Amino acid sequence: MRLLLVEDAEELAEATQRRLARSGMACDLAASVGEARDFLAVQAYDAVILDINLPDGSGTDLLREMRAQAATMPVLMLTAQFSVDDKISAFELGADDYLVKPFDHRELEARLHAIGRRQTTDRSADLELGHLRYNATAGSATVGDQALKLTGREFALLGILMRNAGQVMSKDRLHEGLYAFDDAVPGDNAIELYIARLRKKLTGSGVEIETLRGRGYRLAARDGDV
């Protein structure tokens, strides 16, 4: 997932970004409504985590603005405000979920995966192809009964390919899903290296990562292994 976290508490924002990165989610940080607008103008996100009290305005005003512009990406409100009226107001403006500070990062991750699934027609937590099963919420990928040992980036890459199985994914699209703006700039062959590692780990899964020269990569079931 590619996320935008709009939060002005620096320590909380950076800790959340690090935790999400370990789970394979690329997360950009905005400390104000203005910065959030700048990010949203140039990047599509799978979800936005939005604080209400920001130094230059209210997160609810930004949410109202996003929905008025027909932005459909899920928005999870993250705030210290916890009254029922606050929650009702946020939902009426188009929020998808609401999490009160302080929070457990495991719950935040689970809620992000849940609202992400609600954006698709397939509500199942499990994605299956060949003998491969992927569950973003559980953070697991298995081939038959055997768990795959994947790094955070490998797990994120597999998730992108699984959610778009059968579709050609360009290097640019994979890069957007794996790296935030302030991540160290990876080498030109970083995607190729992750693809090569993932191919080895998918041996016996009944699926393969196809390379389409000049276009990108595609995850597909091998003939006879569906």
Side-chain angles (χ1 to χ4, degrees), residues 148-210:
L148 294 180
K149 295 181 179 180
L150 303 175
T151 66
R153 297 271 192 226
E154 290 167 352
F155 186 78
L157 176 58
L158 180 59
I160 295 171
L161 294 172
M162 285 290 284
R163 286 189 291 272
N164 297 277
Q167 301 180 40
V168 179
M169 303 298 292
S170 68
K171 286 184 182 179
D172 287 344
R173 175 64 185 87
L174 295 177
H175 187 280
E176 288 178 0
L178 293 176
Y179 298 99
F181 282 120
D182 57 355
D183 281 342
V185 178
D188 291 340
N189 64 341
I191 296 297
E192 289 92 333
L193 289 175
Y194 282 120
I195 289 288
R197 293 175 188 172
L198 197 53
R199 277 193 177 119
K200 290 181 181 179
K201 294 184 179 184
L202 293 179
T203 300
S205 66
V207 304
E208 61 181 343
I209 304 174
E210 303 172 343

Side-chain angles (χ1 to χ4, degrees), residues 98-185:
Y98 197 108
L99 188 58
V100 177
K101 303 174 189 176
F103 60 90
D104 188 309
H105 283 90
R106 294 171 299 175
E107 181 178 2
L108 173 61
E109 292 171 24
R111 286 174 179 264
L112 288 169
H113 287 304
I115 62 177
R117 288 197 307 273
R118 291 201 294 268
Q119 296 302 107
T120 67
T121 55
D122 181 7
R123 303 297 179 87
S124 173
D126 285 320
L127 298 176
E128 296 185 48
L129 187 66
H131 308 302
L132 176 64
R133 176 175 291 181
Y134 176 92
N135 188 307
T137 304
S140 65
T142 58
V143 174
D145 296 326
Q146 185 68 38
L148 294 180
K149 295 181 179 180
L150 303 175
T151 66
R153 297 271 192 226
E154 290 167 352
F155 186 78
L157 176 58
L158 180 59
I160 295 171
L161 294 172
M162 285 290 284
R163 286 189 291 272
N164 297 277
Q167 301 180 40
V168 179
M169 303 298 292
S170 68
K171 286 184 182 179
D172 287 344
R173 175 64 185 87
L174 295 177
H175 187 280
E176 288 178 0
L178 293 176
Y179 298 99
F181 282 120
D182 57 355
D183 281 342
V185 178

Side-chain angles (χ1 to χ4, degrees), residues 11-34:
E11 290 187 6
L12 173 61
E14 292 180 351
T16 302
Q17 183 186 45
R18 288 194 299 270
R19 177 61 184 255
L20 293 173
R22 287 199 295 270
S23 298
M25 302 183 202
C27 182
D28 295 321
L29 299 181
S32 66
V33 171

